[in-house]
């Protein structure tokens, strides 16, 4: 069974630029999560999708972050414009009805 | 709202010694609880989970954890540490509707030879 795929693995951008991350969940998984993990901290939930609907986005900085999950499969997370404090690893995870979440390897973003 | 507290951001043990990583949670509904491990430059891998039933759960790599409702704890243990156990460990909680998978701040386990 293929795991959660994320791309790119690494990205370096200048502040005020925009960036997008892509996630392909495990086939058949209805739930998709995006997390932000700042160095030395635990993952912080940004947004949770159930199929193509948003379950929770209370911690998503909506003035600069956006996410979508078209057709309830792949998802993209965008930051525009980026700030220095957005430097982090962005993790995507998916789960089915059995609750356990499977994580991708993440995208390491550096904003300079 | 739910939250997770992991006591001790760094734990150091000798190879062969007992590993004990502490996790306390708060949740307004019966929770599901998880321990994940993260190796450098990798995503998170599930070690074990508690949903319902037996409160002592066994996971991969010889780890186990016990759900204690009265103490709102879910501590992770391993009888004998191995060098390969050195990693970051995260405790997480989710409500029984399957929403809001919330992580603690993590504990970095170091294993000395």
């Amino acid at each position: 069974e293929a795991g959660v795929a994320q791309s790119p693995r690494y990205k370096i951008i200048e502040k005020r630029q925009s960036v997008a991350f892509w996630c392909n969940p495990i086939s058949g998984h209805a739930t998709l999560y995006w997390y932000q993990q700042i160095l030395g901290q635990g993952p912080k939930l940004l947004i949770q999708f159930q199929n193509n609907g948003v379950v929770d986005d209370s911690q998503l900085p909506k003035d600069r972050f956006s996410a979508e999950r078209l057709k309830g499969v792949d998802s993209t997370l965008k930051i525009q414009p980026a700030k220095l404090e957005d430097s982090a690893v962005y993790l995507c995870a998916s789960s089915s009805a059995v609750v356990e979440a499977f994580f991708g390897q993440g995208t390491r973003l550096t904003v300079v | 709202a739910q939250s997770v507290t992991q006591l001790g951001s760094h734990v150091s043990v000798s190879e062969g010694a007992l590993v004990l990583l502490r996790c306390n949670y708060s949740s307004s509904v019966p929770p599901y609880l998880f321990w994940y491990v993260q190796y450098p430059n990798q995503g998170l891998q599930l070690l074990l989970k508690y949903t319902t039933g037996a409160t002592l759960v066994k996971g991969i790599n010889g780890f186990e954890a016990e759900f204690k409702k009265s103490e709102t704890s879910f501590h992770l243990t391993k009888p004998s540490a191995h060098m390969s156990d050195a990693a970051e460990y995260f405790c997480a909680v989710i409500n029984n509707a399957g929403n809001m998978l919330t992580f603690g701040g993590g504990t970095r386990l170091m294993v000395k030879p």
Side-chain angles (χ1 to χ4, degrees), chain A residues 29-88:
Chain A
H29 281 193
T31 304
L32 186 147
Y33 308 88
W34 281 103
Y35 286 86
Q36 180 193 58
Q37 186 177 20
I38 292 173
L39 186 64
Q41 299 181 18
K44 183 183 84 171
L45 180 66
L46 293 175
I47 188 167
Q48 177 183 342
F49 292 96
Q50 182 75 15
N51 295 308
N52 60 350
V54 175
V55 172
D56 187 276
D57 63 357
S58 57
Q59 298 191 86
L60 187 73
K62 297 180 185 64
D63 57 334
R64 298 184 301 105
F65 286 64
S66 64
E68 61 181 7
R69 190 182 185 195
L70 299 177
K71 301 180 181 178
V73 182
D74 293 5
S75 178
T76 56
L77 176 70
K78 297 179 181 178
I79 308 175
Q80 182 179 11
K83 294 184 175 181
L84 295 177
E85 58 261 36
D86 299 330
S87 294

Side-chain angles (χ1 to χ4, degrees), chain B residues 77-88:
Chain B
T77 60
K78 182 175 181 178
S80 177
H82 191 274
M83 296 296 291
S84 61
D85 295 327
E88 188 94 22

Side-chain angles (χ1 to χ4, degrees), chain A residues 11-21 64 78-84 86 109-112:
Chain A
K11 189 74 176 180
I12 301 174
I13 63 172
E14 295 182 350
K15 59 183 179 184
R16 291 187 289 275
Q17 286 188 322
S18 63
V19 64
F21 313 126
R64 298 184 301 105
K78 297 179 181 178
I79 308 175
Q80 182 179 11
K83 294 184 175 181
L84 295 177
D86 299 330
L109 174 67
T110 302
V111 182
V112 297

